[in-house]
């Protein structure tokens, strides 16, 4: 795997030197300053590339390998007539990225919100801080703070009651913190949505159910993936996080079936997947090693992270989960890495130029000096460095075991 980390740009409190010293050779970045839907110009892309690569003559090389994300305008997700203009802009941005040598572009198709949590500083037994999701707290936000019309339908009577009584017991500061956590805007932005604006964004989706969102997603990939393919760019969708519907909004990239349908809606290799074990792994019904085998050739980028389910309901739906240390959650990370390495060997055998997959340790706990710094939630320096170090250890051990097997014929 090619080891990478996400860098939010010059304002990121984690520096490129931190990323280099964590052992990365690749950088994942995006032009967060460009409004969603606008064209990424060659100049702006080149400027970011120059920043990332500026110390390469003095120190070990860093390269901008992946764009995460080239965001999809809401009008495309809603299937509005104005989507045509945004689709054209998307294609132009892809062309400009190709001109600058970028070959991997991540995006997601979650309506309104990107990832969602209810707590950003959940304290673990060793004092580290982690992101956490509690369905009951989400219900507090939805029913009592946002007061979304018809929200009742999405919760059981028991959850509705416990959410309401929890709300009564909460201090104003706790209510404010929960509100800001759920309303945190897109990654790379530090601003939360306003409550009223947020409700109107949800209202815009009233006519968009599961079927419509799927149709709009397939239309999007049919318009952009063939263009990307010609340009030598691999597009890779990021799965929903968490992988189930929230706030009455559909989510259609959560399961193996969702990904299979998306892959067959446009049968070009550039219509690919960001395999995020953190998002997909929240659902007990997602068999991650099996999914890697199935989508093998369409996986262009990897996020390695795991969550720990603390509580599931009678149907197995996760009610509470937190982001665990990279090797300590519900994801069988050793099996996942074993499958990735098998796919890489297959590609190498076929002399594919993308035989090595860019991987980033997704999210990290706040530990040691991270605890006194403010970084983007999940994007601490030392926590991610620790995650990466652990993942690399597994990778090296599996590779060594594989080559020993190759020479001795025995499984070590
Ligand atoms: C969370 C990230 C996601 C991801 C986008 C991709 O930390 O993994 O926000 O960047 O969903 O479009």
């Amino acid at each position: 795997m090619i080891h990478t980390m996400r860098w939010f740009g010059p304002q990121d409190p984690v520096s490129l030197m931190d990323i280099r010293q964590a052992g990365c050779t690749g950088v994942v970045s995006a032009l967060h300053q460009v409004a969603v839907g606008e064209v990424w110009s060659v100049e702006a892309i080149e400027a970011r590339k120059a920043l990332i690569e500026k110390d390469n003559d003095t120190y070990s090389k860093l390269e901008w390998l992946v764009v995460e994300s080239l965001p999809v305008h809401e009008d495309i997700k809603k299937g509005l007539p104005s989507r045509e203009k945004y689709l054209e802009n998307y294609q132009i941005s892809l062309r400009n990225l190709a001109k600058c040598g970028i070959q991997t572009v991540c995006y997601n198709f979650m309506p309104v919100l990107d990832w969602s949590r209810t707590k950003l500083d959940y304290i673990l037994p060793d004092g580290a801080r982690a992101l956490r999701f509690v369905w009951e707290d989400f219900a507090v936000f939805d029913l009592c703070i946002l007061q979304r019309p018809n929200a009742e339908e999405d919760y059981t009577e028991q959850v509705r009651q416990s959410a309401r009584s929890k709300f009564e017991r909460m201090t104003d500061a706790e209510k404010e913190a929960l509100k800001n956590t759920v309303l945190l805007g897109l990654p790379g932005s530090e601003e939360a949505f306003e409550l009223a604006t947020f409700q109107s964004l949800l209202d815009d989706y009233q006519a968009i159910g599961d079927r419509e969102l799927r149709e709009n997603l397939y239309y999007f990939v049919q318009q952009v993936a063939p263009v990307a393919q010609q340009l030598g760019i691999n597009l890779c969708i990021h799965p929903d996080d968490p992988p189930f519907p929230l706030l009455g909004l559909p989510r259609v990239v959560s399961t193996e079936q969702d990904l299979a349908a998306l892959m067959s809606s446009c049968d070009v290799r550039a219509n690919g997947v960001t395999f995020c074990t953190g998002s997909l792994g929240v659902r007990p019904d997602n068999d991650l090693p099996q999914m890697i085998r199935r989508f093998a050739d369409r996986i262009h980028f990897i996020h390695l992270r795991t969550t720990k389910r603390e509580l599931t309901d009678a149907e197995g739906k996760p009610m509470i989960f937190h982001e665990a240390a990279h090797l300590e959650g519900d994801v069988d990370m050793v099996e996942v890495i074993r499958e990735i390495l098998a796919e890489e060997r297959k590609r190498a055998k076929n002399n594919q130029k993308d035989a090595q997959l860019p991987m980033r340790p997704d999210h990290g706990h706040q530990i040691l000096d991270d605890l006194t710094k403010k970084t983007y939630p999940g994007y601490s320096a030392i926590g991610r460095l620790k995650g990466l170090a652990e993942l690399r250890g597994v990778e090296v051990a599996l590779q060594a075991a594989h080559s020993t097997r190759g020479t001795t014929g025995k499984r070590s």
Side-chain angles (χ1 to χ4, degrees):
M1 295 185 280
I2 307 174
H3 306 138
T4 72
M5 266 193 204
R6 189 176 198 173
W7 187 59
F8 286 102
Q11 77 293 350
D12 193 330
V14 179
S15 70
L16 288 164
M17 195 53 101
D18 294 342
I19 292 177
R20 178 180 274 120
Q21 289 177 9
C24 296
T25 52
V27 171
V28 174
S29 198
L31 304 183
H32 299 284
Q33 73 275 20
V34 181
V36 175
E38 295 306 312
V39 168
W40 287 20
S41 69
V42 169
E43 296 69 38
I45 301 166
E46 285 294 359
R48 174 59 56 87
K49 204 173 148 75
L51 264 185
I52 292 173
E53 300 176 7
K54 74 176 183 323
D55 287 332
N56 281 2
D57 291 339
T58 320
Y59 299 105
S60 47
K61 255 182 150 181
L62 279 182
E63 218 186 324
W64 185 7
L65 288 182
V66 182
V67 163
E68 177 177 356
S69 296
L70 181 56
V72 178
H73 195 274
E74 291 291 302
D75 288 7
I76 297 180
K77 297 181 199 165
K78 287 184 271 193
L80 298 179
S82 47
R83 71 176 158 181
E84 298 305 330
K85 172 173 159 257
Y86 293 114
L87 283 164
E88 203 188 315
N89 285 358
Y90 207 91
Q91 294 171 353
I92 300 173
S93 296
L94 288 177
R95 260 186 216 109
N96 292 346
L97 286 165
K99 280 184 201 149
C100 303
I102 306 269
Q103 293 173 341
T104 310
V105 175
C106 171
Y107 69 99
N108 75 71
F109 216 77
M110 289 174 257
V112 186
L113 284 175
D114 193 308
W115 57 273
S116 306
R117 298 288 182 273
T118 54
K119 195 143 182 66
L120 303 177
D121 54 359
Y122 175 59
I123 302 176
L124 294 166
D126 63 359
R129 286 171 189 234
L131 311 185
R132 189 174 190 232
F133 183 91
V134 178
W135 181 243
E136 183 190 66
D137 292 341
F138 203 81
V140 170
F141 166 78
D142 197 5
L143 297 167
C144 311
I145 299 177
L146 180 64
Q147 302 179 3
R148 179 171 62 92
N150 306 324
E152 277 75 15
E153 293 166 9
D154 292 356
Y155 304 94
T156 60
E157 177 56 29
Q158 198 196 349
V159 172
R160 288 198 294 258
Q161 273 184 17
S162 60
R164 291 217 159 89
S165 64
K166 188 165 189 176
F167 179 73
E168 296 307 321
R169 296 191 309 269
M170 281 167 83
T171 63
D172 286 348
E174 285 168 338
K175 289 176 190 166
E176 188 64 16
L178 175 62
K179 184 186 92 178
N180 289 331
T181 301
V182 177
L183 292 184
L184 202 71
L186 299 170
S189 112
E190 287 175 33
E191 281 165 40
F193 288 113
E194 289 296 323
L195 217 47
T197 325
F198 186 66
Q199 182 59 57
S200 79
L201 296 174
L202 299 181
D203 293 343
D204 287 348
Y205 274 88
Q206 254 166 15
I208 318 281
D210 181 277
R211 187 172 59 82
E212 289 76 14
L213 190 66
R214 280 176 207 274
E215 281 170 8
N216 297 341
L217 169 58
Y218 304 157
Y219 184 79
F220 168 73
V221 292
Q222 285 156 5
Q223 302 304 310
V224 297
V227 175
Q229 179 86 14
Q230 273 190 341
L231 293 167
I233 285 185
N234 281 324
L235 283 174
C236 39
I237 194 161
H238 188 284
D240 305 327
D241 183 4
F244 44 79
L246 295 173
L247 300 166
L249 297 168
R251 290 199 154 190
V252 297
V253 193
S254 299
T255 65
E256 180 172 342
Q257 291 72 13
D258 291 343
L259 284 171
L262 171 61
M263 295 300 101
S264 58
S265 74
C266 176
D267 201 12
V268 297
R269 190 162 180 255
N271 173 25
V273 180
T274 297
F275 201 81
C276 175
T277 58
S279 308
L280 294 167
V282 164
R283 290 179 71 118
D285 56 346
N286 277 336
D287 177 345
L288 303 184
Q290 141 70 15
M291 289 168 82
I292 298 174
R293 285 191 294 275
R294 178 161 181 186
F295 302 117
D297 201 38
R298 296 286 191 96
I299 297 175
H300 304 311
F301 180 33
I302 300 179
H303 287 181
L304 293 183
R305 172 169 72 78
T306 181
T307 54
K308 183 82 200 150
R309 288 182 288 273
E310 298 170 48
L311 182 71
T312 46
D313 72 3
E315 278 96 54
K317 182 179 161 172
M319 297 279 100
I320 306 181
F321 64 84
H322 68 264
E323 298 196 357
H326 287 71
L327 302 183
E328 288 168 21
D330 294 315
V331 171
D332 186 341
M333 206 52 93
V334 175
E335 276 316 302
V336 161
I337 296 177
R338 199 194 299 280
E339 291 300 340
I340 295 167
L341 296 180
E343 170 60 17
E344 290 194 330
R345 278 194 293 273
K346 207 162 50 180
R347 293 184 187 191
K349 227 171 157 181
N350 297 334
N351 291 319
Q352 282 177 236
K353 67 173 173 27
D354 59 354
Q356 264 192 301
L357 280 154
M359 174 279 280
R360 66 176 184 84
D362 196 13
H363 298 180
H365 290 163
Q366 281 182 279
I367 53 173
L368 315 178
D369 283 4
D370 294 334
L371 290 163
T372 57
K373 291 192 181 136
K374 186 169 164 22
T375 49
Y376 292 97
Y379 291 90
S380 56
I382 304 173
R384 281 188 295 161
L385 177 153
K386 174 171 174 271
L388 179 61
E390 294 177 346
L391 296 166
R392 291 169 91 192
V394 173
E395 183 186 10
V396 170
L398 285 173
Q399 253 156 355
H402 181 82
S403 46
T404 316
R405 246 196 344 265
T407 50
T408 64
K410 271 191 277 164
R411 196 185 166 94
S412 51

